[in-house]
Amino acid sequence: MRYFFHIGYNGHTYSGWQRQPKVNSVQEVIETKLSQIFKTPIAINGCGRTDSGVHASQFFFHADIEQPWDFDLLFRLNKVLPHNIAVFDIIPMEGKQHARFDAVQRKYDYYLHTYKNPFLNQLSSYYALGELKLEEMKKAVALLPKYKDYRAFCTSPDKNEHTICNVMDARLYTSANGDHYRFHIVSNRFLGKMIRDHYWQSVKNWDWQHEC
């Protein structure tokens, strides 16, 4: 039977979600613990990928588990997982819904702060920004949902079947005193390095921004 797992994790100590050779990944940790609990190898499929050091407040993966259980799997799994990975729900599915291919929307939030703060290092990026041209940035970000082909934003576009992305929303929020920023973007899919290397570089260059 297929089950969807609703989880969250702090990715500071992980090299992303996806299992990779010789690095620590969230997927490998969860697969190892599930396999230990059921005493049989269990593979899982995530709803997407996250880069090294990236966190997820709402993430889903699915697993096919043939063996029934008579214990509280949610409690037991949370007990054996490290403190930076939490399982919120385990949802039995009817049919073979796929955590990745049946996902219709993905949301990313990028945080930055303009003063050095040791308590924000794992959650936000520090940039000593000067005066931002907020109105110009607002106009630029408003254009993002109006375009579909993001080939120019992808580092390896030819590896994809296509480079069409349905960007549904893009906003930037700031704190009242202007020293914290959150860039929020929603799309059905994201291309490799589409945001981290392009949108984020734009923040550093003060080229764009949105709602404040």
CSV table of all heavy atoms in Angstrom, one decimal, residues 85-143:
chain,number,residue,atom,x,y,z
A,85,ILE,N,14.6,16.5,11.7
A,85,ILE,CA,13.6,16.0,10.8
A,85,ILE,C,12.4,15.6,11.6
A,85,ILE,O,12.5,14.9,12.6
A,85,ILE,CB,14.2,14.8,10.0
A,85,ILE,CG1,15.4,15.1,9.2
A,85,ILE,CG2,13.1,14.2,9.1
A,85,ILE,CD1,16.0,13.9,8.5
A,86,ALA,N,11.2,16.1,11.2
A,86,ALA,CA,10.0,15.8,11.9
A,86,ALA,C,9.0,15.3,10.9
A,86,ALA,O,8.8,15.8,9.8
A,86,ALA,CB,9.4,17.0,12.6
A,87,VAL,N,8.2,14.2,11.3
A,87,VAL,CA,7.1,13.7,10.5
A,87,VAL,C,5.8,14.2,11.2
A,87,VAL,O,5.6,14.0,12.4
A,87,VAL,CB,7.1,12.2,10.5
A,87,VAL,CG1,6.0,11.6,9.7
A,87,VAL,CG2,8.5,11.7,10.0
A,88,PHE,N,5.0,14.9,10.4
A,88,PHE,CA,3.7,15.4,10.9
A,88,PHE,C,2.5,14.5,10.7
A,88,PHE,O,1.7,14.4,11.6
A,88,PHE,CB,3.4,16.8,10.2
A,88,PHE,CG,4.6,17.8,10.4
A,88,PHE,CD1,5.1,18.4,9.2
A,88,PHE,CD2,5.2,18.0,11.6
A,88,PHE,CE1,6.1,19.3,9.3
A,88,PHE,CE2,6.2,18.9,11.7
A,88,PHE,CZ,6.7,19.6,10.6
A,89,ASP,N,2.5,13.8,9.5
A,89,ASP,CA,1.3,13.0,9.2
A,89,ASP,C,1.8,11.8,8.3
A,89,ASP,O,2.7,11.9,7.6
A,89,ASP,CB,0.3,13.8,8.4
A,89,ASP,CG,-0.3,15.0,9.2
A,89,ASP,OD1,-1.0,14.8,10.2
A,89,ASP,OD2,0.1,16.1,8.8
A,90,ILE,N,1.1,10.7,8.4
A,90,ILE,CA,1.2,9.6,7.5
A,90,ILE,C,-0.1,9.3,6.9
A,90,ILE,O,-1.1,9.0,7.7
A,90,ILE,CB,1.8,8.3,8.3
A,90,ILE,CG1,3.1,8.7,8.9
A,90,ILE,CG2,1.9,7.2,7.3
A,90,ILE,CD1,3.7,7.5,9.8
A,91,ILE,N,-0.3,9.4,5.6
A,91,ILE,CA,-1.6,9.4,5.0
A,91,ILE,C,-1.7,8.2,4.0
A,91,ILE,O,-0.9,8.1,3.0
A,91,ILE,CB,-1.8,10.7,4.2
A,91,ILE,CG1,-1.5,11.9,5.1
A,91,ILE,CG2,-3.2,10.8,3.6
A,91,ILE,CD1,-1.3,13.2,4.3
A,92,PRO,N,-2.5,7.2,4.3
A,92,PRO,CA,-2.7,6.1,3.4
A,92,PRO,C,-3.4,6.6,2.1
A,92,PRO,O,-4.3,7.4,2.1
A,92,PRO,CB,-3.6,5.1,4.1
A,92,PRO,CG,-4.3,6.0,5.2
A,92,PRO,CD,-3.4,7.1,5.5
A,93,MET,N,-2.9,6.1,0.9
A,93,MET,CA,-3.5,6.5,-0.3
A,93,MET,C,-4.2,5.4,-1.0
A,93,MET,O,-3.9,4.2,-0.9
A,93,MET,CB,-2.3,7.0,-1.2
A,93,MET,CG,-1.4,8.0,-0.6
A,93,MET,SD,-2.3,9.5,-0.1
A,93,MET,CE,-2.8,10.2,-1.7
A,94,GLU,N,-5.2,5.8,-1.8
A,94,GLU,CA,-5.9,4.8,-2.6
A,94,GLU,C,-5.4,5.0,-4.0
A,94,GLU,O,-5.5,6.1,-4.6
A,94,GLU,CB,-7.4,5.1,-2.6
A,94,GLU,CG,-8.1,4.8,-1.3
A,94,GLU,CD,-9.6,5.0,-1.3
A,94,GLU,OE1,-10.1,5.3,-2.4
A,94,GLU,OE2,-10.2,4.9,-0.3
A,95,GLY,N,-4.8,4.0,-4.6
A,95,GLY,CA,-4.1,4.1,-5.9
A,95,GLY,C,-2.7,4.4,-5.7
A,95,GLY,O,-2.1,4.1,-4.7
A,96,LYS,N,-2.1,4.9,-6.8
A,96,LYS,CA,-0.6,5.1,-6.9
A,96,LYS,C,-0.2,6.5,-7.1
A,96,LYS,O,0.6,6.8,-8.0
A,96,LYS,CB,0.0,4.2,-8.0
A,96,LYS,CG,-0.1,2.7,-7.6
A,96,LYS,CD,0.7,2.3,-6.4
A,96,LYS,CE,0.7,0.8,-6.2
A,96,LYS,NZ,1.5,0.4,-5.0
A,97,GLN,N,-0.8,7.4,-6.4
A,97,GLN,CA,-0.4,8.8,-6.5
A,97,GLN,C,1.1,9.0,-6.3
A,97,GLN,O,1.6,8.3,-5.4
A,97,GLN,CB,-1.2,9.7,-5.6
A,97,GLN,CG,-2.7,9.8,-5.9
A,97,GLN,CD,-3.5,8.7,-5.2
A,97,GLN,OE1,-3.0,7.7,-4.9
A,97,GLN,NE2,-4.8,9.0,-5.1
A,98,HIS,N,1.7,9.9,-7.0
A,98,HIS,CA,3.1,10.0,-7.0
A,98,HIS,C,3.5,11.4,-6.3
A,98,HIS,O,3.0,12.4,-6.7
A,98,HIS,CB,3.8,10.0,-8.4
A,98,HIS,CG,5.2,9.7,-8.4
A,98,HIS,ND1,6.2,10.7,-8.1
A,98,HIS,CD2,5.9,8.6,-8.7
A,98,HIS,CE1,7.4,10.2,-8.2
A,98,HIS,NE2,7.3,8.9,-8.5
A,99,ALA,N,4.3,11.4,-5.3
A,99,ALA,CA,4.6,12.6,-4.5
A,99,ALA,C,5.2,13.7,-5.4
A,99,ALA,O,5.0,14.9,-5.3
A,99,ALA,CB,5.6,12.3,-3.4
A,100,ARG,N,6.0,13.3,-6.4
A,100,ARG,CA,6.7,14.2,-7.3
A,100,ARG,C,5.8,14.6,-8.5
A,100,ARG,O,5.5,15.8,-8.8
A,100,ARG,CB,8.0,13.7,-7.7
A,100,ARG,CG,8.7,14.6,-8.7
A,100,ARG,CD,10.0,14.0,-9.2
A,100,ARG,NE,10.7,14.9,-10.2
A,100,ARG,CZ,11.7,14.5,-11.0
A,100,ARG,NH1,12.2,13.3,-10.8
A,100,ARG,NH2,12.2,15.3,-11.9
A,101,PHE,N,5.4,13.6,-9.2
A,101,PHE,CA,4.7,13.8,-10.5
A,101,PHE,C,3.3,14.3,-10.3
A,101,PHE,O,2.7,14.9,-11.3
A,101,PHE,CB,4.7,12.6,-11.4
A,101,PHE,CG,6.1,12.1,-11.7
A,101,PHE,CD1,6.5,10.8,-11.5
A,101,PHE,CD2,7.1,13.0,-12.2
A,101,PHE,CE1,7.8,10.4,-11.8
A,101,PHE,CE2,8.4,12.6,-12.5
A,101,PHE,CZ,8.7,11.3,-12.3
A,102,ASP,N,2.6,14.1,-9.2
A,102,ASP,CA,1.3,14.6,-9.0
A,102,ASP,C,1.3,15.9,-8.2
A,102,ASP,O,0.2,16.4,-7.9
A,102,ASP,CB,0.5,13.5,-8.2
A,102,ASP,CG,0.1,12.4,-9.1
A,102,ASP,OD1,0.0,12.6,-10.4
A,102,ASP,OD2,-0.1,11.2,-8.6
A,103,ALA,N,2.4,16.4,-7.9
A,103,ALA,CA,2.5,17.8,-7.2
A,103,ALA,C,2.1,18.8,-8.2
A,103,ALA,O,2.6,18.8,-9.3
A,103,ALA,CB,3.8,18.0,-6.6
A,104,VAL,N,1.2,19.8,-7.8
A,104,VAL,CA,0.8,20.8,-8.7
A,104,VAL,C,1.4,22.2,-8.4
A,104,VAL,O,1.2,23.1,-9.2
A,104,VAL,CB,-0.8,20.9,-8.7
A,104,VAL,CG1,-1.4,19.6,-9.2
A,104,VAL,CG2,-1.3,21.2,-7.3
A,105,GLN,N,2.0,22.3,-7.2
A,105,GLN,CA,2.5,23.6,-6.8
A,105,GLN,C,3.6,23.5,-5.8
A,105,GLN,O,3.6,22.6,-5.0
A,105,GLN,CB,1.4,24.4,-6.2
A,105,GLN,CG,1.7,25.9,-5.9
A,105,GLN,CD,0.5,26.6,-5.3
A,105,GLN,OE1,0.4,26.7,-4.0
A,105,GLN,NE2,-0.4,27.1,-6.1
A,106,ARG,N,4.7,24.3,-6.0
A,106,ARG,CA,5.8,24.3,-5.1
A,106,ARG,C,6.1,25.8,-4.7
A,106,ARG,O,6.0,26.7,-5.6
A,106,ARG,CB,7.0,23.7,-5.8
A,106,ARG,CG,6.8,22.2,-6.1
A,106,ARG,CD,8.0,21.7,-6.9
A,106,ARG,NE,7.9,20.2,-7.0
A,106,ARG,CZ,7.2,19.6,-7.9
A,106,ARG,NH1,6.5,20.2,-8.8
A,106,ARG,NH2,7.2,18.2,-7.9
A,107,LYS,N,6.4,26.0,-3.5
A,107,LYS,CA,6.6,27.3,-3.0
A,107,LYS,C,8.0,27.4,-2.3
A,107,LYS,O,8.4,26.5,-1.6
A,107,LYS,CB,5.6,27.7,-1.9
A,107,LYS,CG,4.2,27.7,-2.4
A,107,LYS,CD,3.2,28.0,-1.3
A,107,LYS,CE,1.7,28.0,-1.8
A,107,LYS,NZ,0.8,28.3,-0.7
A,108,TYR,N,8.7,28.5,-2.6
A,108,TYR,CA,10.0,28.7,-2.0
A,108,TYR,C,10.0,30.1,-1.4
A,108,TYR,O,9.5,31.1,-1.9
A,108,TYR,CB,11.1,28.7,-3.1
A,108,TYR,CG,11.5,27.3,-3.5
A,108,TYR,CD1,10.9,26.6,-4.5
A,108,TYR,CD2,12.6,26.6,-2.8
A,108,TYR,CE1,11.3,25.3,-4.9
A,108,TYR,CE2,12.9,25.3,-3.1
A,108,TYR,CZ,12.3,24.7,-4.2
A,108,TYR,OH,12.7,23.4,-4.5
A,109,ASP,N,10.7,30.2,-0.2
A,109,ASP,CA,10.9,31.5,0.5
A,109,ASP,C,12.4,31.6,0.7
A,109,ASP,O,13.1,30.7,1.2
A,109,ASP,CB,10.2,31.5,1.8
A,109,ASP,CG,8.7,31.6,1.6
A,109,ASP,OD1,8.2,32.7,1.3
A,109,ASP,OD2,8.0,30.6,1.8
A,110,TYR,N,12.9,32.8,0.3
A,110,TYR,CA,14.3,33.1,0.5
A,110,TYR,C,14.4,34.3,1.5
A,110,TYR,O,13.7,35.3,1.3
A,110,TYR,CB,15.0,33.5,-0.8
A,110,TYR,CG,15.2,32.3,-1.7
A,110,TYR,CD1,14.2,31.8,-2.5
A,110,TYR,CD2,16.5,31.8,-1.8
A,110,TYR,CE1,14.3,30.7,-3.3
A,110,TYR,CE2,16.7,30.7,-2.7
A,110,TYR,CZ,15.6,30.2,-3.4
A,110,TYR,OH,15.8,29.1,-4.2
A,111,TYR,N,15.2,34.2,2.6
A,111,TYR,CA,15.2,35.2,3.6
A,111,TYR,C,16.6,35.8,3.6
A,111,TYR,O,17.6,35.2,3.4
A,111,TYR,CB,15.0,34.6,5.0
A,111,TYR,CG,13.6,34.0,5.2
A,111,TYR,CD1,13.3,32.7,4.7
A,111,TYR,CD2,12.6,34.7,5.8
A,111,TYR,CE1,12.1,32.1,4.9
A,111,TYR,CE2,11.4,34.2,5.9
A,111,TYR,CZ,11.1,32.9,5.5
A,111,TYR,OH,9.8,32.4,5.7
A,112,LEU,N,16.6,37.1,3.9
A,112,LEU,CA,17.9,37.8,4.1
A,112,LEU,C,17.7,38.9,5.1
A,112,LEU,O,16.6,39.4,5.4
A,112,LEU,CB,18.4,38.5,2.8
A,112,LEU,CG,17.7,39.6,2.1
A,112,LEU,CD1,18.1,41.0,2.7
A,112,LEU,CD2,18.0,39.6,0.6
A,113,HIS,N,18.8,39.2,5.8
A,113,HIS,CA,18.8,40.3,6.8
A,113,HIS,C,20.1,41.1,6.6
A,113,HIS,O,21.1,40.7,6.0
A,113,HIS,CB,18.9,39.7,8.2
A,113,HIS,CG,19.9,38.7,8.5
A,113,HIS,ND1,19.9,37.4,8.0
A,113,HIS,CD2,21.1,38.8,9.2
A,113,HIS,CE1,21.0,36.8,8.4
A,113,HIS,NE2,21.8,37.6,9.1
A,114,THR,N,20.0,42.4,6.9
A,114,THR,CA,21.0,43.4,6.6
A,114,THR,C,22.0,43.7,7.7
A,114,THR,O,22.7,44.6,7.6
A,114,THR,CB,20.3,44.7,6.1
A,114,THR,OG1,19.5,45.2,7.2
A,114,THR,CG2,19.4,44.4,4.9
A,115,TYR,N,21.9,43.0,8.8
A,115,TYR,CA,22.8,43.1,9.9
A,115,TYR,C,23.3,41.8,10.4
A,115,TYR,O,22.5,40.8,10.3
A,115,TYR,CB,22.2,43.9,11.1
A,115,TYR,CG,21.0,43.2,11.7
A,115,TYR,CD1,21.2,42.4,12.8
A,115,TYR,CD2,19.8,43.3,11.1
A,115,TYR,CE1,20.1,41.7,13.4
A,115,TYR,CE2,18.7,42.6,11.7
A,115,TYR,CZ,18.9,41.9,12.8
A,115,TYR,OH,17.8,41.2,13.4
A,116,LYS,N,24.5,41.7,10.9
A,116,LYS,CA,25.0,40.4,11.3
A,116,LYS,C,24.3,39.9,12.5
A,116,LYS,O,24.3,40.6,13.5
A,116,LYS,CB,26.5,40.5,11.5
A,116,LYS,CG,27.2,39.1,11.7
A,116,LYS,CD,28.7,39.3,11.7
A,116,LYS,CE,29.4,37.9,11.8
A,116,LYS,NZ,30.9,38.0,11.8
A,117,ASN,N,23.8,38.7,12.5
A,117,ASN,CA,23.1,38.1,13.6
A,117,ASN,C,23.4,36.6,13.7
A,117,ASN,O,22.9,35.9,12.8
A,117,ASN,CB,21.6,38.4,13.4
A,117,ASN,CG,20.7,37.9,14.6
A,117,ASN,OD1,21.1,37.0,15.4
A,117,ASN,ND2,19.6,38.6,14.9
A,118,PRO,N,24.1,36.2,14.7
A,118,PRO,CA,24.5,34.8,14.8
A,118,PRO,C,23.3,33.8,14.9
A,118,PRO,O,23.4,32.6,14.6
A,118,PRO,CB,25.4,34.7,16.0
A,118,PRO,CG,25.0,35.9,16.8
A,118,PRO,CD,24.6,37.0,15.9
A,119,PHE,N,22.1,34.3,15.4
A,119,PHE,CA,21.0,33.5,15.6
A,119,PHE,C,20.2,33.3,14.3
A,119,PHE,O,19.2,32.5,14.3
A,119,PHE,CB,20.1,34.1,16.7
A,119,PHE,CG,20.8,34.2,18.0
A,119,PHE,CD1,21.2,35.4,18.4
A,119,PHE,CD2,21.1,33.1,18.8
A,119,PHE,CE1,21.9,35.6,19.6
A,119,PHE,CE2,21.7,33.2,20.0
A,119,PHE,CZ,22.2,34.4,20.4
A,120,LEU,N,20.5,34.0,13.2
A,120,LEU,CA,19.8,33.9,12.0
A,120,LEU,C,20.6,33.1,10.9
A,120,LEU,O,20.1,32.9,9.8
A,120,LEU,CB,19.4,35.3,11.4
A,120,LEU,CG,18.4,36.1,12.2
A,120,LEU,CD1,18.2,37.5,11.6
A,120,LEU,CD2,17.1,35.4,12.4
A,121,ASN,N,21.8,32.8,11.2
A,121,ASN,CA,22.7,32.2,10.2
A,121,ASN,C,22.1,31.0,9.4
A,121,ASN,O,22.3,30.9,8.2
A,121,ASN,CB,24.0,31.8,10.8
A,121,ASN,CG,24.9,33.1,11.2
A,121,ASN,OD1,24.6,34.1,10.7
A,121,ASN,ND2,25.9,32.9,12.0
A,122,GLN,N,21.4,30.1,10.1
A,122,GLN,CA,20.9,28.9,9.5
A,122,GLN,C,19.6,29.2,8.8
A,122,GLN,O,19.1,28.3,8.0
A,122,GLN,CB,20.7,27.8,10.5
A,122,GLN,CG,22.0,27.3,11.2
A,122,GLN,CD,21.7,26.2,12.1
A,122,GLN,OE1,20.7,25.6,12.1
A,122,GLN,NE2,22.7,25.9,13.0
A,123,LEU,N,18.9,30.3,9.0
A,123,LEU,CA,17.6,30.5,8.4
A,123,LEU,C,17.6,31.7,7.4
A,123,LEU,O,16.6,31.8,6.7
A,123,LEU,CB,16.6,30.8,9.5
A,123,LEU,CG,16.5,29.7,10.6
A,123,LEU,CD1,15.6,30.2,11.7
A,123,LEU,CD2,15.9,28.4,10.0
A,124,SER,N,18.6,32.5,7.4
A,124,SER,CA,18.5,33.7,6.6
A,124,SER,C,20.0,34.1,6.1
A,124,SER,O,20.9,33.7,6.8
A,124,SER,CB,17.9,34.9,7.4
A,124,SER,OG,17.9,36.1,6.7
A,125,SER,N,20.1,34.8,5.0
A,125,SER,CA,21.4,35.1,4.5
A,125,SER,C,21.7,36.6,4.8
A,125,SER,O,20.8,37.4,4.7
A,125,SER,CB,21.4,34.9,3.0
A,125,SER,OG,21.2,33.6,2.6
A,126,TYR,N,22.9,36.8,5.2
A,126,TYR,CA,23.3,38.2,5.6
A,126,TYR,C,23.9,38.9,4.4
A,126,TYR,O,24.9,38.4,3.8
A,126,TYR,CB,24.4,38.1,6.7
A,126,TYR,CG,25.1,39.4,7.0
A,126,TYR,CD1,24.4,40.5,7.3
A,126,TYR,CD2,26.5,39.4,6.9
A,126,TYR,CE1,25.1,41.7,7.5
A,126,TYR,CE2,27.2,40.6,7.2
A,126,TYR,CZ,26.5,41.7,7.5
A,126,TYR,OH,27.2,42.9,7.7
A,127,TYR,N,23.4,40.1,4.1
A,127,TYR,CA,23.9,41.0,3.1
A,127,TYR,C,23.9,42.4,3.6
A,127,TYR,O,22.8,42.8,4.1
A,127,TYR,CB,23.1,40.9,1.8
A,127,TYR,CG,23.2,39.6,1.0
A,127,TYR,CD1,22.2,38.6,1.1
A,127,TYR,CD2,24.3,39.3,0.2
A,127,TYR,CE1,22.3,37.4,0.5
A,127,TYR,CE2,24.4,38.1,-0.5
A,127,TYR,CZ,23.4,37.2,-0.3
A,127,TYR,OH,23.5,36.0,-1.0
A,128,ALA,N,25.0,43.1,3.5
A,128,ALA,CA,25.1,44.5,4.0
A,128,ALA,C,24.6,45.3,2.9
A,128,ALA,O,25.3,46.0,2.2
A,128,ALA,CB,26.5,44.8,4.4
A,129,LEU,N,23.3,45.4,2.7
A,129,LEU,CA,22.7,46.1,1.6
A,129,LEU,C,22.6,47.6,1.9
A,129,LEU,O,22.4,48.0,3.0
A,129,LEU,CB,21.3,45.6,1.3
A,129,LEU,CG,21.2,44.1,1.0
A,129,LEU,CD1,19.7,43.6,0.9
A,129,LEU,CD2,21.9,43.8,-0.4
A,130,GLY,N,22.7,48.4,0.8
A,130,GLY,CA,22.5,49.8,1.0
A,130,GLY,C,21.0,50.2,0.7
A,130,GLY,O,20.1,49.3,0.9
A,131,GLU,N,20.8,51.3,0.2
A,131,GLU,CA,19.4,51.8,-0.1
A,131,GLU,C,18.9,51.1,-1.3
A,131,GLU,O,19.5,51.2,-2.4
A,131,GLU,CB,19.4,53.3,-0.3
A,131,GLU,CG,18.0,53.8,-0.5
A,131,GLU,CD,17.9,55.3,-0.6
A,131,GLU,OE1,19.0,56.0,-0.3
A,131,GLU,OE2,16.9,55.9,-0.9
A,132,LEU,N,17.8,50.4,-1.2
A,132,LEU,CA,17.2,49.6,-2.3
A,132,LEU,C,16.3,50.4,-3.1
A,132,LEU,O,15.5,51.2,-2.6
A,132,LEU,CB,16.5,48.3,-1.8
A,132,LEU,CG,17.4,47.4,-1.0
A,132,LEU,CD1,16.6,46.2,-0.5
A,132,LEU,CD2,18.6,46.9,-1.8
A,133,LYS,N,16.2,50.2,-4.5
A,133,LYS,CA,15.3,50.9,-5.3
A,133,LYS,C,14.0,50.1,-5.4
A,133,LYS,O,13.7,49.3,-6.4
A,133,LYS,CB,15.9,51.1,-6.7
A,133,LYS,CG,17.2,51.9,-6.7
A,133,LYS,CD,17.8,51.9,-8.1
A,133,LYS,CE,19.1,52.7,-8.0
A,133,LYS,NZ,19.8,52.8,-9.4
A,134,LEU,N,13.2,50.2,-4.3
A,134,LEU,CA,12.1,49.3,-4.2
A,134,LEU,C,11.0,49.4,-5.2
A,134,LEU,O,10.4,48.4,-5.7
A,134,LEU,CB,11.4,49.5,-2.8
A,134,LEU,CG,12.4,49.2,-1.6
A,134,LEU,CD1,11.7,49.6,-0.3
A,134,LEU,CD2,12.8,47.8,-1.6
A,135,GLU,N,10.7,50.6,-5.7
A,135,GLU,CA,9.7,50.7,-6.7
A,135,GLU,C,10.1,50.1,-8.0
A,135,GLU,O,9.3,49.4,-8.7
A,135,GLU,CB,9.4,52.2,-6.9
A,135,GLU,CG,8.6,52.8,-5.8
A,135,GLU,CD,7.4,52.1,-5.4
A,135,GLU,OE1,6.6,51.8,-6.3
A,135,GLU,OE2,7.1,51.8,-4.2
A,136,GLU,N,11.4,50.2,-8.4
A,136,GLU,CA,11.8,49.6,-9.6
A,136,GLU,C,11.8,48.1,-9.5
A,136,GLU,O,11.5,47.4,-10.4
A,136,GLU,CB,13.2,50.1,-10.0
A,136,GLU,CG,13.3,51.6,-10.3
A,136,GLU,CD,14.7,52.1,-10.6
A,136,GLU,OE1,15.5,51.2,-10.9
A,136,GLU,OE2,14.9,53.3,-10.6
A,137,MET,N,12.2,47.6,-8.4
A,137,MET,CA,12.2,46.2,-8.1
A,137,MET,C,10.8,45.6,-8.1
A,137,MET,O,10.6,44.5,-8.6
A,137,MET,CB,13.0,45.9,-6.8
A,137,MET,CG,14.4,46.4,-6.8
A,137,MET,SD,15.1,46.7,-5.2
A,137,MET,CE,15.7,45.0,-4.8
A,138,LYS,N,9.9,46.4,-7.6
A,138,LYS,CA,8.5,46.0,-7.6
A,138,LYS,C,8.0,45.8,-9.0
A,138,LYS,O,7.3,44.8,-9.3
A,138,LYS,CB,7.7,47.0,-6.8
A,138,LYS,CG,6.2,46.7,-6.7
A,138,LYS,CD,5.5,47.8,-5.9
A,138,LYS,CE,4.0,47.5,-5.8
A,138,LYS,NZ,3.3,48.6,-5.0
A,139,LYS,N,8.3,46.7,-9.9
A,139,LYS,CA,7.8,46.5,-11.2
A,139,LYS,C,8.5,45.3,-11.9
A,139,LYS,O,7.8,44.6,-12.7
A,139,LYS,CB,8.2,47.8,-12.0
A,139,LYS,CG,7.5,49.1,-11.6
A,139,LYS,CD,8.0,50.3,-12.3
A,139,LYS,CE,7.3,51.6,-11.8
A,139,LYS,NZ,7.8,52.8,-12.5
A,140,ALA,N,9.7,45.0,-11.6
A,140,ALA,CA,10.4,43.9,-12.2
A,140,ALA,C,9.8,42.6,-11.8
A,140,ALA,O,9.6,41.7,-12.6
A,140,ALA,CB,11.9,44.0,-11.9
A,141,VAL,N,9.6,42.4,-10.5
A,141,VAL,CA,9.1,41.2,-10.0
A,141,VAL,C,7.6,40.9,-10.5
A,141,VAL,O,7.2,39.8,-10.7
A,141,VAL,CB,9.1,41.1,-8.5
A,141,VAL,CG1,7.9,40.6,-7.8
A,141,VAL,CG2,10.3,40.3,-8.0
A,142,ALA,N,6.9,42.0,-10.7
A,142,ALA,CA,5.5,41.8,-11.2
A,142,ALA,C,5.5,41.2,-12.6
A,142,ALA,O,4.4,40.6,-13.0
A,142,ALA,CB,4.8,43.2,-11.2
A,143,LEU,N,6.6,41.2,-13.3
A,143,LEU,CA,6.6,40.6,-14.6
A,143,LEU,C,6.8,39.1,-14.6
A,143,LEU,O,6.5,38.4,-15.6
A,143,LEU,CB,7.8,41.2,-15.4
A,143,LEU,CG,7.7,42.7,-15.8
A,143,LEU,CD1,9.0,43.1,-16.4
A,143,LEU,CD2,6.6,43.0,-16.7
